[in-house]
Every structure is written in structure tokens, then in C-alpha cells.
Amino acid sequence: MLDESYYRKTDEIIAHYGREAKALIPIMQDVQAEYRYLPGELLAYIAKQIGITETKAYSVATFYENFSFEAKGKYVIKVCDGTACHVRHSTPVLEALWKELGLSKKKHTTDDMMFTVETVSCLGACGLAPTMMVNEQVYPAMTPEKALALIAELRGKG
Ligand code: FES
């Protein structure tokens, strides 16, 4: 259950874009930017407020890969597993992160909601392989050691 503040914030976002069906995507984008994911309850709420069905809102949200229904950590780490990165040993980087953070292919986010680790198929920086991204920043030429040092640094920042 989400507390009242989520609905108040969503109301503000809806008021900004207007209560109309065409505002769905920008509203969802702003809600996701606020919470780092799109809670299902809010998607249903938005649909009702702008007069579309929940099914329609859900199908639009699932069409765009960028929307996530899963709560994410403060630091979202995307390890590239595209071909260029894979041949330059991205897998040991991913495995080192999983081991350090107690994560796996099935468990993506630490219980303290600090870190989410995902894989992506190309970060568009193949010349810098193997790459990874933490929130909006790209890190080139990763190694397991560099990845673990970065985790230690981020933990220090809190
Ligand atoms: S394959 Fe990793 S950045 Fe392109």
C-alpha cells in the first residue's frame, strides 16, 4: 500500500499535464522519475483520473521498455552484456557485483534499497567495453575490481 503522499504527488503531476488521455506518457515518465519505478497502484489511479481504462494504461506502459513496475534501489547499475562487452569479459563484472550485493538473476535489488543490478543489451558505447552505467553515468573499461571499488565509494556516499 502506498501512502497518501504518492497520490498527492501524482495529483500534482496530473494537474501539470492535464486530465486527458494524451497526457498518459508524460505523466508516467514523471511519476517514474520521482519514484524510480511506476507503482501499479499509481498507474491504475492515473488511468482513472485521465479517463482511460487500466488495461489501456498498462498496455502502453509495457510497450515502452523504460517503464518499470519493480521498485528500484537508489543506485541502478546496468551492466552491459551486449556482444562487444561480453567478449571483453562483462560477465565477471556482473558476477562480482551479484556476489558483493547478494543479488542474482532473480533478485535485482538489495533489501536496503540501495542497489539494483540489471543487464542491458548495449549502452551504445561499445568502444569503451566492457561498460556499465550507474544511474545516468557511464563507466568504461570495467573490471570486477573497479566495480567493487565503485560500490564501496557509493556506500560511503550513502
Ligand atoms: S555492447 Fe556494451 S556498450 Fe555496446
Side-chain angles (χ1 to χ4, degrees), residues 77-81 85-86 88-105 107-108 116-120 130-132 142-145 147-148 151:
I77 302 173
K78 294 184 175 156
V79 178
C80 182
D81 194 31
C85 289
H86 193 81
R88 291 198 174 202
H89 312 297
S90 57
T91 307
V93 174
L94 178 63
E95 284 172 349
L97 289 170
W98 278 350
K99 188 162 173 240
E100 174 67 19
L101 300 171
L103 301 177
S104 66
K105 207 173 233 171
K107 180 172 164 62
H108 301 139
T116 294
V117 175
E118 303 174 334
T119 55
V120 284
T131 58
M132 77 182 207
M142 289 312 291
T143 62
E145 294 72 27
L148 295 184
I151 294 295

PDB file of all heavy atoms in Angstrom, residues 77-81 85-86 88-105 107-108 116-120 130-132 142-145 147-148 151:
ATOM      1  N   ILE A  77      22.349   0.046 -11.302  1.00  0.00           N
ATOM      2  CA  ILE A  77      23.557  -0.308 -12.050  1.00  0.00           C
ATOM      3  C   ILE A  77      23.146  -1.172 -13.234  1.00  0.00           C
ATOM      4  O   ILE A  77      22.500  -2.206 -13.064  1.00  0.00           O
ATOM      5  CB  ILE A  77      24.523  -1.102 -11.147  1.00  0.00           C
ATOM      6  CG1 ILE A  77      24.876  -0.268  -9.916  1.00  0.00           C
ATOM      7  CG2 ILE A  77      25.769  -1.525 -11.922  1.00  0.00           C
ATOM      8  CD1 ILE A  77      25.690  -1.035  -8.879  1.00  0.00           C
ATOM      9  N   LYS A  78      23.512  -0.718 -14.419  1.00  0.00           N
ATOM     10  CA  LYS A  78      23.207  -1.500 -15.612  1.00  0.00           C
ATOM     11  C   LYS A  78      24.519  -2.025 -16.175  1.00  0.00           C
ATOM     12  O   LYS A  78      25.357  -1.224 -16.617  1.00  0.00           O
ATOM     13  CB  LYS A  78      22.516  -0.636 -16.666  1.00  0.00           C
ATOM     14  CG  LYS A  78      21.160  -0.184 -16.191  1.00  0.00           C
ATOM     15  CD  LYS A  78      20.439   0.590 -17.254  1.00  0.00           C
ATOM     16  CE  LYS A  78      19.046   0.914 -16.755  1.00  0.00           C
ATOM     17  NZ  LYS A  78      18.427   2.033 -17.338  1.00  0.00           N
ATOM     18  N   VAL A  79      24.686  -3.312 -16.133  1.00  0.00           N
ATOM     19  CA  VAL A  79      25.910  -3.908 -16.675  1.00  0.00           C
ATOM     20  C   VAL A  79      25.603  -4.316 -18.104  1.00  0.00           C
ATOM     21  O   VAL A  79      24.633  -5.030 -18.363  1.00  0.00           O
ATOM     22  CB  VAL A  79      26.335  -5.149 -15.851  1.00  0.00           C
ATOM     23  CG1 VAL A  79      27.586  -5.781 -16.451  1.00  0.00           C
ATOM     24  CG2 VAL A  79      26.580  -4.759 -14.393  1.00  0.00           C
ATOM     25  N   CYS A  80      26.412  -3.836 -19.034  1.00  0.00           N
ATOM     26  CA  CYS A  80      26.162  -4.162 -20.435  1.00  0.00           C
ATOM     27  C   CYS A  80      26.598  -5.588 -20.724  1.00  0.00           C
ATOM     28  O   CYS A  80      27.697  -5.999 -20.367  1.00  0.00           O
ATOM     29  CB  CYS A  80      26.898  -3.197 -21.359  1.00  0.00           C
ATOM     30  SG  CYS A  80      26.519  -3.573 -23.082  1.00  0.00           S
ATOM     31  N   ASP A  81      25.687  -6.319 -21.362  1.00  0.00           N
ATOM     32  CA  ASP A  81      26.018  -7.682 -21.738  1.00  0.00           C
ATOM     33  C   ASP A  81      25.842  -7.870 -23.249  1.00  0.00           C
ATOM     34  O   ASP A  81      25.537  -8.944 -23.728  1.00  0.00           O
ATOM     35  CB  ASP A  81      25.128  -8.664 -20.950  1.00  0.00           C
ATOM     36  CG  ASP A  81      25.667 -10.080 -21.040  1.00  0.00           C
ATOM     37  OD1 ASP A  81      26.890 -10.239 -21.142  1.00  0.00           O
ATOM     38  OD2 ASP A  81      24.847 -11.023 -21.024  1.00  0.00           O
ATOM     39  N   CYS A  85      30.742  -6.035 -25.192  1.00  0.00           N
ATOM     40  CA  CYS A  85      31.091  -6.078 -23.771  1.00  0.00           C
ATOM     41  C   CYS A  85      31.282  -7.513 -23.303  1.00  0.00           C
ATOM     42  O   CYS A  85      32.176  -7.804 -22.513  1.00  0.00           O
ATOM     43  CB  CYS A  85      30.021  -5.376 -22.947  1.00  0.00           C
ATOM     44  SG  CYS A  85      30.060  -3.586 -23.212  1.00  0.00           S
ATOM     45  N   HIS A  86      30.446  -8.392 -23.827  1.00  0.00           N
ATOM     46  CA  HIS A  86      30.534  -9.796 -23.422  1.00  0.00           C
ATOM     47  C   HIS A  86      31.909 -10.373 -23.762  1.00  0.00           C
ATOM     48  O   HIS A  86      32.549 -10.993 -22.924  1.00  0.00           O
ATOM     49  CB  HIS A  86      29.426 -10.591 -24.105  1.00  0.00           C
ATOM     50  CG  HIS A  86      29.259 -11.946 -23.530  1.00  0.00           C
ATOM     51  ND1 HIS A  86      28.542 -12.171 -22.377  1.00  0.00           N
ATOM     52  CD2 HIS A  86      29.762 -13.145 -23.910  1.00  0.00           C
ATOM     53  CE1 HIS A  86      28.597 -13.450 -22.082  1.00  0.00           C
ATOM     54  NE2 HIS A  86      29.329 -14.066 -22.997  1.00  0.00           N
ATOM     55  N   ARG A  88      34.571  -8.871 -24.056  1.00  0.00           N
ATOM     56  CA  ARG A  88      35.608  -8.225 -23.237  1.00  0.00           C
ATOM     57  C   ARG A  88      35.367  -8.451 -21.742  1.00  0.00           C
ATOM     58  O   ARG A  88      35.756  -7.651 -20.910  1.00  0.00           O
ATOM     59  CB  ARG A  88      35.656  -6.748 -23.549  1.00  0.00           C
ATOM     60  CG  ARG A  88      36.191  -6.505 -24.955  1.00  0.00           C
ATOM     61  CD  ARG A  88      36.606  -5.110 -25.044  1.00  0.00           C
ATOM     62  NE  ARG A  88      37.243  -4.808 -26.294  1.00  0.00           N
ATOM     63  CZ  ARG A  88      38.055  -3.780 -26.437  1.00  0.00           C
ATOM     64  NH1 ARG A  88      38.323  -3.016 -25.401  1.00  0.00           N
ATOM     65  NH2 ARG A  88      38.590  -3.528 -27.586  1.00  0.00           N
ATOM     66  N   HIS A  89      34.674  -9.519 -21.462  1.00  0.00           N
ATOM     67  CA  HIS A  89      34.537 -10.016 -20.072  1.00  0.00           C
ATOM     68  C   HIS A  89      33.634  -9.181 -19.177  1.00  0.00           C
ATOM     69  O   HIS A  89      34.015  -8.786 -18.078  1.00  0.00           O
ATOM     70  CB  HIS A  89      35.922 -10.177 -19.425  1.00  0.00           C
ATOM     71  CG  HIS A  89      36.881 -10.915 -20.296  1.00  0.00           C
ATOM     72  ND1 HIS A  89      36.674 -12.233 -20.664  1.00  0.00           N
ATOM     73  CD2 HIS A  89      38.016 -10.528 -20.911  1.00  0.00           C
ATOM     74  CE1 HIS A  89      37.647 -12.615 -21.470  1.00  0.00           C
ATOM     75  NE2 HIS A  89      38.474 -11.604 -21.650  1.00  0.00           N
ATOM     76  N   SER A  90      32.439  -8.935 -19.634  1.00  0.00           N
ATOM     77  CA  SER A  90      31.466  -8.262 -18.765  1.00  0.00           C
ATOM     78  C   SER A  90      30.906  -9.217 -17.702  1.00  0.00           C
ATOM     79  O   SER A  90      30.499  -8.780 -16.626  1.00  0.00           O
ATOM     80  CB  SER A  90      30.320  -7.688 -19.595  1.00  0.00           C
ATOM     81  OG  SER A  90      29.695  -8.708 -20.345  1.00  0.00           O
ATOM     82  N   THR A  91      30.895 -10.523 -18.015  1.00  0.00           N
ATOM     83  CA  THR A  91      30.270 -11.471 -17.073  1.00  0.00           C
ATOM     84  C   THR A  91      30.953 -11.469 -15.698  1.00  0.00           C
ATOM     85  O   THR A  91      30.258 -11.425 -14.680  1.00  0.00           O
ATOM     86  CB  THR A  91      30.216 -12.889 -17.685  1.00  0.00           C
ATOM     87  OG1 THR A  91      29.580 -12.768 -18.952  1.00  0.00           O
ATOM     88  CG2 THR A  91      29.414 -13.847 -16.817  1.00  0.00           C
ATOM     89  N   PRO A  92      32.295 -11.490 -15.619  1.00  0.00           N
ATOM     90  CA  PRO A  92      32.915 -11.437 -14.284  1.00  0.00           C
ATOM     91  C   PRO A  92      32.568 -10.159 -13.519  1.00  0.00           C
ATOM     92  O   PRO A  92      32.466 -10.179 -12.289  1.00  0.00           O
ATOM     93  CB  PRO A  92      34.422 -11.489 -14.588  1.00  0.00           C
ATOM     94  CG  PRO A  92      34.523 -12.135 -15.926  1.00  0.00           C
ATOM     95  CD  PRO A  92      33.297 -11.711 -16.676  1.00  0.00           C
ATOM     96  N   VAL A  93      32.334  -9.059 -14.231  1.00  0.00           N
ATOM     97  CA  VAL A  93      31.927  -7.802 -13.571  1.00  0.00           C
ATOM     98  C   VAL A  93      30.545  -7.999 -12.937  1.00  0.00           C
ATOM     99  O   VAL A  93      30.330  -7.692 -11.762  1.00  0.00           O
ATOM    100  CB  VAL A  93      31.886  -6.633 -14.592  1.00  0.00           C
ATOM    101  CG1 VAL A  93      31.324  -5.369 -13.938  1.00  0.00           C
ATOM    102  CG2 VAL A  93      33.269  -6.380 -15.184  1.00  0.00           C
ATOM    103  N   LEU A  94      29.641  -8.563 -13.716  1.00  0.00           N
ATOM    104  CA  LEU A  94      28.286  -8.805 -13.221  1.00  0.00           C
ATOM    105  C   LEU A  94      28.312  -9.757 -12.029  1.00  0.00           C
ATOM    106  O   LEU A  94      27.670  -9.525 -10.998  1.00  0.00           O
ATOM    107  CB  LEU A  94      27.447  -9.398 -14.367  1.00  0.00           C
ATOM    108  CG  LEU A  94      26.006  -9.756 -14.042  1.00  0.00           C
ATOM    109  CD1 LEU A  94      25.210  -8.506 -13.662  1.00  0.00           C
ATOM    110  CD2 LEU A  94      25.340 -10.441 -15.238  1.00  0.00           C
ATOM    111  N   GLU A  95      29.091 -10.828 -12.162  1.00  0.00           N
ATOM    112  CA  GLU A  95      29.124 -11.818 -11.080  1.00  0.00           C
ATOM    113  C   GLU A  95      29.727 -11.239  -9.802  1.00  0.00           C
ATOM    114  O   GLU A  95      29.284 -11.553  -8.700  1.00  0.00           O
ATOM    115  CB  GLU A  95      29.886 -13.061 -11.542  1.00  0.00           C
ATOM    116  CG  GLU A  95      28.992 -13.876 -12.481  1.00  0.00           C
ATOM    117  CD  GLU A  95      29.696 -15.029 -13.162  1.00  0.00           C
ATOM    118  OE1 GLU A  95      30.942 -15.091 -13.086  1.00  0.00           O
ATOM    119  OE2 GLU A  95      28.980 -15.851 -13.777  1.00  0.00           O
ATOM    120  N   ALA A  96      30.738 -10.387  -9.956  1.00  0.00           N
ATOM    121  CA  ALA A  96      31.348  -9.762  -8.769  1.00  0.00           C
ATOM    122  C   ALA A  96      30.318  -8.876  -8.059  1.00  0.00           C
ATOM    123  O   ALA A  96      30.223  -8.869  -6.830  1.00  0.00           O
ATOM    124  CB  ALA A  96      32.567  -8.936  -9.185  1.00  0.00           C
ATOM    125  N   LEU A  97      29.527  -8.149  -8.839  1.00  0.00           N
ATOM    126  CA  LEU A  97      28.504  -7.282  -8.242  1.00  0.00           C
ATOM    127  C   LEU A  97      27.435  -8.124  -7.541  1.00  0.00           C
ATOM    128  O   LEU A  97      27.035  -7.827  -6.416  1.00  0.00           O
ATOM    129  CB  LEU A  97      27.851  -6.403  -9.318  1.00  0.00           C
ATOM    130  CG  LEU A  97      28.732  -5.290  -9.879  1.00  0.00           C
ATOM    131  CD1 LEU A  97      28.075  -4.661 -11.099  1.00  0.00           C
ATOM    132  CD2 LEU A  97      28.988  -4.218  -8.825  1.00  0.00           C
ATOM    133  N   TRP A  98      26.984  -9.175  -8.215  1.00  0.00           N
ATOM    134  CA  TRP A  98      25.973 -10.051  -7.610  1.00  0.00           C
ATOM    135  C   TRP A  98      26.465 -10.601  -6.282  1.00  0.00           C
ATOM    136  O   TRP A  98      25.750 -10.601  -5.289  1.00  0.00           O
ATOM    137  CB  TRP A  98      25.660 -11.222  -8.556  1.00  0.00           C
ATOM    138  CG  TRP A  98      24.675 -10.888  -9.638  1.00  0.00           C
ATOM    139  CD1 TRP A  98      23.911  -9.772  -9.748  1.00  0.00           C
ATOM    140  CD2 TRP A  98      24.346 -11.720 -10.765  1.00  0.00           C
ATOM    141  NE1 TRP A  98      23.132  -9.839 -10.872  1.00  0.00           N
ATOM    142  CE2 TRP A  98      23.368 -11.014 -11.516  1.00  0.00           C
ATOM    143  CE3 TRP A  98      24.774 -12.960 -11.218  1.00  0.00           C
ATOM    144  CZ2 TRP A  98      22.822 -11.539 -12.682  1.00  0.00           C
ATOM    145  CZ3 TRP A  98      24.225 -13.483 -12.383  1.00  0.00           C
ATOM    146  CH2 TRP A  98      23.261 -12.778 -13.110  1.00  0.00           C
ATOM    147  N   LYS A  99      27.727 -11.061  -6.296  1.00  0.00           N
ATOM    148  CA  LYS A  99      28.271 -11.690  -5.087  1.00  0.00           C
ATOM    149  C   LYS A  99      28.382 -10.661  -3.956  1.00  0.00           C
ATOM    150  O   LYS A  99      27.950 -10.905  -2.835  1.00  0.00           O
ATOM    151  CB  LYS A  99      29.646 -12.276  -5.422  1.00  0.00           C
ATOM    152  CG  LYS A  99      30.207 -13.107  -4.327  1.00  0.00           C
ATOM    153  CD  LYS A  99      31.322 -14.023  -4.845  1.00  0.00           C
ATOM    154  CE  LYS A  99      31.963 -14.723  -3.649  1.00  0.00           C
ATOM    155  NZ  LYS A  99      33.371 -14.431  -3.529  1.00  0.00           N
ATOM    156  N   GLU A 100      28.909  -9.509  -4.291  1.00  0.00           N
ATOM    157  CA  GLU A 100      29.108  -8.469  -3.272  1.00  0.00           C
ATOM    158  C   GLU A 100      27.773  -8.012  -2.667  1.00  0.00           C
ATOM    159  O   GLU A 100      27.672  -7.748  -1.474  1.00  0.00           O
ATOM    160  CB  GLU A 100      29.830  -7.273  -3.918  1.00  0.00           C
ATOM    161  CG  GLU A 100      29.988  -6.054  -3.027  1.00  0.00           C
ATOM    162  CD  GLU A 100      30.928  -6.281  -1.854  1.00  0.00           C
ATOM    163  OE1 GLU A 100      31.734  -7.240  -1.910  1.00  0.00           O
ATOM    164  OE2 GLU A 100      30.844  -5.516  -0.872  1.00  0.00           O
ATOM    165  N   LEU A 101      26.748  -7.926  -3.514  1.00  0.00           N
ATOM    166  CA  LEU A 101      25.474  -7.346  -3.072  1.00  0.00           C
ATOM    167  C   LEU A 101      24.423  -8.395  -2.718  1.00  0.00           C
ATOM    168  O   LEU A 101      23.309  -8.050  -2.324  1.00  0.00           O
ATOM    169  CB  LEU A 101      24.927  -6.417  -4.172  1.00  0.00           C
ATOM    170  CG  LEU A 101      25.845  -5.239  -4.529  1.00  0.00           C
ATOM    171  CD1 LEU A 101      25.323  -4.509  -5.768  1.00  0.00           C
ATOM    172  CD2 LEU A 101      25.966  -4.267  -3.361  1.00  0.00           C
ATOM    173  N   GLY A 102      24.778  -9.672  -2.864  1.00  0.00           N
ATOM    174  CA  GLY A 102      23.819 -10.733  -2.552  1.00  0.00           C
ATOM    175  C   GLY A 102      22.672 -10.767  -3.550  1.00  0.00           C
ATOM    176  O   GLY A 102      21.532 -11.061  -3.185  1.00  0.00           O
ATOM    177  N   LEU A 103      22.960 -10.460  -4.788  1.00  0.00           N
ATOM    178  CA  LEU A 103      21.914 -10.429  -5.821  1.00  0.00           C
ATOM    179  C   LEU A 103      22.113 -11.584  -6.803  1.00  0.00           C
ATOM    180  O   LEU A 103      23.098 -12.319  -6.722  1.00  0.00           O
ATOM    181  CB  LEU A 103      21.934  -9.080  -6.544  1.00  0.00           C
ATOM    182  CG  LEU A 103      21.705  -7.868  -5.630  1.00  0.00           C
ATOM    183  CD1 LEU A 103      21.821  -6.574  -6.418  1.00  0.00           C
ATOM    184  CD2 LEU A 103      20.342  -7.947  -4.947  1.00  0.00           C
ATOM    185  N   SER A 104      21.189 -11.717  -7.731  1.00  0.00           N
ATOM    186  CA  SER A 104      21.257 -12.813  -8.701  1.00  0.00           C
ATOM    187  C   SER A 104      20.402 -12.451  -9.907  1.00  0.00           C
ATOM    188  O   SER A 104      19.823 -11.367  -9.966  1.00  0.00           O
ATOM    189  CB  SER A 104      20.704 -14.091  -8.066  1.00  0.00           C
ATOM    190  OG  SER A 104      19.315 -13.906  -7.823  1.00  0.00           O
ATOM    191  N   LYS A 105      20.308 -13.406 -10.805  1.00  0.00           N
ATOM    192  CA  LYS A 105      19.470 -13.212 -11.988  1.00  0.00           C
ATOM    193  C   LYS A 105      18.014 -12.930 -11.569  1.00  0.00           C
ATOM    194  O   LYS A 105      17.279 -12.227 -12.237  1.00  0.00           O
ATOM    195  CB  LYS A 105      19.513 -14.504 -12.810  1.00  0.00           C
ATOM    196  CG  LYS A 105      19.271 -14.316 -14.268  1.00  0.00           C
ATOM    197  CD  LYS A 105      19.497 -15.607 -14.999  1.00  0.00           C
ATOM    198  CE  LYS A 105      20.484 -15.365 -16.124  1.00  0.00           C
ATOM    199  NZ  LYS A 105      20.976 -16.515 -16.792  1.00  0.00           N
ATOM    200  N   LYS A 107      17.034 -11.941  -8.202  1.00  0.00           N
ATOM    201  CA  LYS A 107      16.888 -10.871  -7.200  1.00  0.00           C
ATOM    202  C   LYS A 107      17.722  -9.681  -7.656  1.00  0.00           C
ATOM    203  O   LYS A 107      18.945  -9.745  -7.696  1.00  0.00           O
ATOM    204  CB  LYS A 107      17.363 -11.380  -5.829  1.00  0.00           C
ATOM    205  CG  LYS A 107      17.260 -10.341  -4.724  1.00  0.00           C
ATOM    206  CD  LYS A 107      17.553 -10.987  -3.354  1.00  0.00           C
ATOM    207  CE  LYS A 107      17.851  -9.994  -2.259  1.00  0.00           C
ATOM    208  NZ  LYS A 107      16.773  -9.071  -1.951  1.00  0.00           N
ATOM    209  N   HIS A 108      17.057  -8.600  -8.009  1.00  0.00           N
ATOM    210  CA  HIS A 108      17.759  -7.471  -8.637  1.00  0.00           C
ATOM    211  C   HIS A 108      18.102  -6.341  -7.678  1.00  0.00           C
ATOM    212  O   HIS A 108      18.914  -5.486  -8.009  1.00  0.00           O
ATOM    213  CB  HIS A 108      16.899  -6.884  -9.769  1.00  0.00           C
ATOM    214  CG  HIS A 108      16.565  -7.877 -10.827  1.00  0.00           C
ATOM    215  ND1 HIS A 108      15.325  -7.965 -11.427  1.00  0.00           N
ATOM    216  CD2 HIS A 108      17.317  -8.843 -11.388  1.00  0.00           C
ATOM    217  CE1 HIS A 108      15.331  -8.944 -12.314  1.00  0.00           C
ATOM    218  NE2 HIS A 108      16.518  -9.495 -12.298  1.00  0.00           N
ATOM    219  N   THR A 116      20.331  -1.618  -7.305  1.00  0.00           N
ATOM    220  CA  THR A 116      19.662  -2.524  -8.240  1.00  0.00           C
ATOM    221  C   THR A 116      20.685  -2.863  -9.312  1.00  0.00           C
ATOM    222  O   THR A 116      21.388  -1.971  -9.798  1.00  0.00           O
ATOM    223  CB  THR A 116      18.450  -1.837  -8.909  1.00  0.00           C
ATOM    224  OG1 THR A 116      17.470  -1.575  -7.903  1.00  0.00           O
ATOM    225  CG2 THR A 116      17.817  -2.711  -9.986  1.00  0.00           C
ATOM    226  N   VAL A 117      20.797  -4.136  -9.644  1.00  0.00           N
ATOM    227  CA  VAL A 117      21.718  -4.521 -10.718  1.00  0.00           C
ATOM    228  C   VAL A 117      20.905  -5.188 -11.830  1.00  0.00           C
ATOM    229  O   VAL A 117      20.147  -6.126 -11.597  1.00  0.00           O
ATOM    230  CB  VAL A 117      22.809  -5.494 -10.202  1.00  0.00           C
ATOM    231  CG1 VAL A 117      23.681  -5.981 -11.357  1.00  0.00           C
ATOM    232  CG2 VAL A 117      23.679  -4.816  -9.148  1.00  0.00           C
ATOM    233  N   GLU A 118      21.075  -4.636 -13.031  1.00  0.00           N
ATOM    234  CA  GLU A 118      20.369  -5.171 -14.204  1.00  0.00           C
ATOM    235  C   GLU A 118      21.368  -5.371 -15.326  1.00  0.00           C
ATOM    236  O   GLU A 118      22.453  -4.801 -15.283  1.00  0.00           O
ATOM    237  CB  GLU A 118      19.344  -4.141 -14.714  1.00  0.00           C
ATOM    238  CG  GLU A 118      18.345  -3.710 -13.690  1.00  0.00           C
ATOM    239  CD  GLU A 118      17.446  -2.578 -14.184  1.00  0.00           C
ATOM    240  OE1 GLU A 118      17.866  -1.813 -15.083  1.00  0.00           O
ATOM    241  OE2 GLU A 118      16.337  -2.482 -13.671  1.00  0.00           O
ATOM    242  N   THR A 119      20.988  -6.141 -16.324  1.00  0.00           N
ATOM    243  CA  THR A 119      21.833  -6.212 -17.522  1.00  0.00           C
ATOM    244  C   THR A 119      21.088  -5.524 -18.667  1.00  0.00           C
ATOM    245  O   THR A 119      19.858  -5.470 -18.676  1.00  0.00           O
ATOM    246  CB  THR A 119      22.140  -7.669 -17.923  1.00  0.00           C
ATOM    247  OG1 THR A 119      20.909  -8.359 -18.086  1.00  0.00           O
ATOM    248  CG2 THR A 119      22.990  -8.363 -16.881  1.00  0.00           C
ATOM    249  N   VAL A 120      21.858  -4.988 -19.590  1.00  0.00           N
ATOM    250  CA  VAL A 120      21.258  -4.376 -20.779  1.00  0.00           C
ATOM    251  C   VAL A 120      22.002  -4.902 -21.994  1.00  0.00           C
ATOM    252  O   VAL A 120      23.136  -5.372 -21.883  1.00  0.00           O
ATOM    253  CB  VAL A 120      21.350  -2.827 -20.769  1.00  0.00           C
ATOM    254  CG1 VAL A 120      20.351  -2.224 -19.823  1.00  0.00           C
ATOM    255  CG2 VAL A 120      22.736  -2.354 -20.457  1.00  0.00           C
ATOM    256  N   PRO A 130      34.385  -3.319 -21.527  1.00  0.00           N
ATOM    257  CA  PRO A 130      33.014  -3.511 -21.061  1.00  0.00           C
ATOM    258  C   PRO A 130      32.523  -2.318 -20.243  1.00  0.00           C
ATOM    259  O   PRO A 130      33.258  -1.775 -19.428  1.00  0.00           O
ATOM    260  CB  PRO A 130      33.121  -4.762 -20.179  1.00  0.00           C
ATOM    261  CG  PRO A 130      34.527  -4.797 -19.699  1.00  0.00           C
ATOM    262  CD  PRO A 130      35.358  -4.089 -20.736  1.00  0.00           C
ATOM    263  N   THR A 131      31.299  -1.945 -20.498  1.00  0.00           N
ATOM    264  CA  THR A 131      30.763  -0.743 -19.862  1.00  0.00           C
ATOM    265  C   THR A 131      29.692  -1.078 -18.836  1.00  0.00           C
ATOM    266  O   THR A 131      29.078  -2.144 -18.884  1.00  0.00           O
ATOM    267  CB  THR A 131      30.085   0.166 -20.908  1.00  0.00           C
ATOM    268  OG1 THR A 131      29.059  -0.583 -21.538  1.00  0.00           O
ATOM    269  CG2 THR A 131      31.054   0.677 -21.930  1.00  0.00           C
ATOM    270  N   MET A 132      29.492  -0.145 -17.939  1.00  0.00           N
ATOM    271  CA  MET A 132      28.302  -0.228 -17.097  1.00  0.00           C
ATOM    272  C   MET A 132      27.837   1.187 -16.793  1.00  0.00           C
ATOM    273  O   MET A 132      28.563   2.157 -17.038  1.00  0.00           O
ATOM    274  CB  MET A 132      28.553  -1.071 -15.842  1.00  0.00           C
ATOM    275  CG  MET A 132      29.305  -0.439 -14.750  1.00  0.00           C
ATOM    276  SD  MET A 132      29.527  -1.641 -13.393  1.00  0.00           S
ATOM    277  CE  MET A 132      29.663  -0.463 -12.046  1.00  0.00           C
ATOM    278  N   MET A 142      35.303  -1.611 -17.588  1.00  0.00           N
ATOM    279  CA  MET A 142      35.113  -2.131 -16.231  1.00  0.00           C
ATOM    280  C   MET A 142      35.846  -3.439 -15.998  1.00  0.00           C
ATOM    281  O   MET A 142      36.044  -4.237 -16.905  1.00  0.00           O
ATOM    282  CB  MET A 142      33.622  -2.348 -15.961  1.00  0.00           C
ATOM    283  CG  MET A 142      32.822  -1.085 -15.805  1.00  0.00           C
ATOM    284  SD  MET A 142      33.556   0.121 -14.693  1.00  0.00           S
ATOM    285  CE  MET A 142      33.353  -0.712 -13.127  1.00  0.00           C
ATOM    286  N   THR A 143      36.217  -3.621 -14.740  1.00  0.00           N
ATOM    287  CA  THR A 143      36.762  -4.900 -14.264  1.00  0.00           C
ATOM    288  C   THR A 143      36.014  -5.189 -12.962  1.00  0.00           C
ATOM    289  O   THR A 143      35.424  -4.266 -12.371  1.00  0.00           O
ATOM    290  CB  THR A 143      38.262  -4.781 -13.940  1.00  0.00           C
ATOM    291  OG1 THR A 143      38.410  -3.808 -12.884  1.00  0.00           O
ATOM    292  CG2 THR A 143      39.084  -4.354 -15.148  1.00  0.00           C
ATOM    293  N   PRO A 144      36.076  -6.445 -12.491  1.00  0.00           N
ATOM    294  CA  PRO A 144      35.431  -6.734 -11.196  1.00  0.00           C
ATOM    295  C   PRO A 144      35.995  -5.828 -10.100  1.00  0.00           C
ATOM    296  O   PRO A 144      35.233  -5.300  -9.279  1.00  0.00           O
ATOM    297  CB  PRO A 144      35.775  -8.200 -10.953  1.00  0.00           C
ATOM    298  CG  PRO A 144      35.933  -8.771 -12.327  1.00  0.00           C
ATOM    299  CD  PRO A 144      36.551  -7.675 -13.145  1.00  0.00           C
ATOM    300  N   GLU A 145      37.291  -5.591 -10.102  1.00  0.00           N
ATOM    301  CA  GLU A 145      37.917  -4.758  -9.057  1.00  0.00           C
ATOM    302  C   GLU A 145      37.370  -3.336  -9.101  1.00  0.00           C
ATOM    303  O   GLU A 145      37.045  -2.741  -8.066  1.00  0.00           O
ATOM    304  CB  GLU A 145      39.450  -4.706  -9.239  1.00  0.00           C
ATOM    305  CG  GLU A 145      40.166  -6.037  -9.033  1.00  0.00           C
ATOM    306  CD  GLU A 145      39.916  -7.039 -10.165  1.00  0.00           C
ATOM    307  OE1 GLU A 145      39.646  -6.624 -11.319  1.00  0.00           O
ATOM    308  OE2 GLU A 145      39.962  -8.254  -9.891  1.00  0.00           O
ATOM    309  N   ALA A 147      34.551  -2.356 -10.320  1.00  0.00           N
ATOM    310  CA  ALA A 147      33.124  -2.358  -9.952  1.00  0.00           C
ATOM    311  C   ALA A 147      32.986  -2.402  -8.433  1.00  0.00           C
ATOM    312  O   ALA A 147      32.168  -1.665  -7.858  1.00  0.00           O
ATOM    313  CB  ALA A 147      32.422  -3.556 -10.598  1.00  0.00           C
ATOM    314  N   LEU A 148      33.812  -3.220  -7.768  1.00  0.00           N
ATOM    315  CA  LEU A 148      33.704  -3.324  -6.312  1.00  0.00           C
ATOM    316  C   LEU A 148      34.171  -2.041  -5.633  1.00  0.00           C
ATOM    317  O   LEU A 148      33.598  -1.622  -4.624  1.00  0.00           O
ATOM    318  CB  LEU A 148      34.504  -4.535  -5.806  1.00  0.00           C
ATOM    319  CG  LEU A 148      33.962  -5.882  -6.299  1.00  0.00           C
ATOM    320  CD1 LEU A 148      34.732  -7.035  -5.678  1.00  0.00           C
ATOM    321  CD2 LEU A 148      32.470  -6.039  -6.010  1.00  0.00           C
ATOM    322  N   ILE A 151      31.311   0.330  -5.783  1.00  0.00           N
ATOM    323  CA  ILE A 151      30.285   0.010  -4.769  1.00  0.00           C
ATOM    324  C   ILE A 151      30.706   0.579  -3.412  1.00  0.00           C
ATOM    325  O   ILE A 151      29.906   1.199  -2.701  1.00  0.00           O
ATOM    326  CB  ILE A 151      30.079  -1.525  -4.648  1.00  0.00           C
ATOM    327  CG1 ILE A 151      29.499  -2.095  -5.933  1.00  0.00           C
ATOM    328  CG2 ILE A 151      29.187  -1.878  -3.445  1.00  0.00           C
ATOM    329  CD1 ILE A 151      28.117  -1.617  -6.273  1.00  0.00           C
TER     330      ILE A 151
END
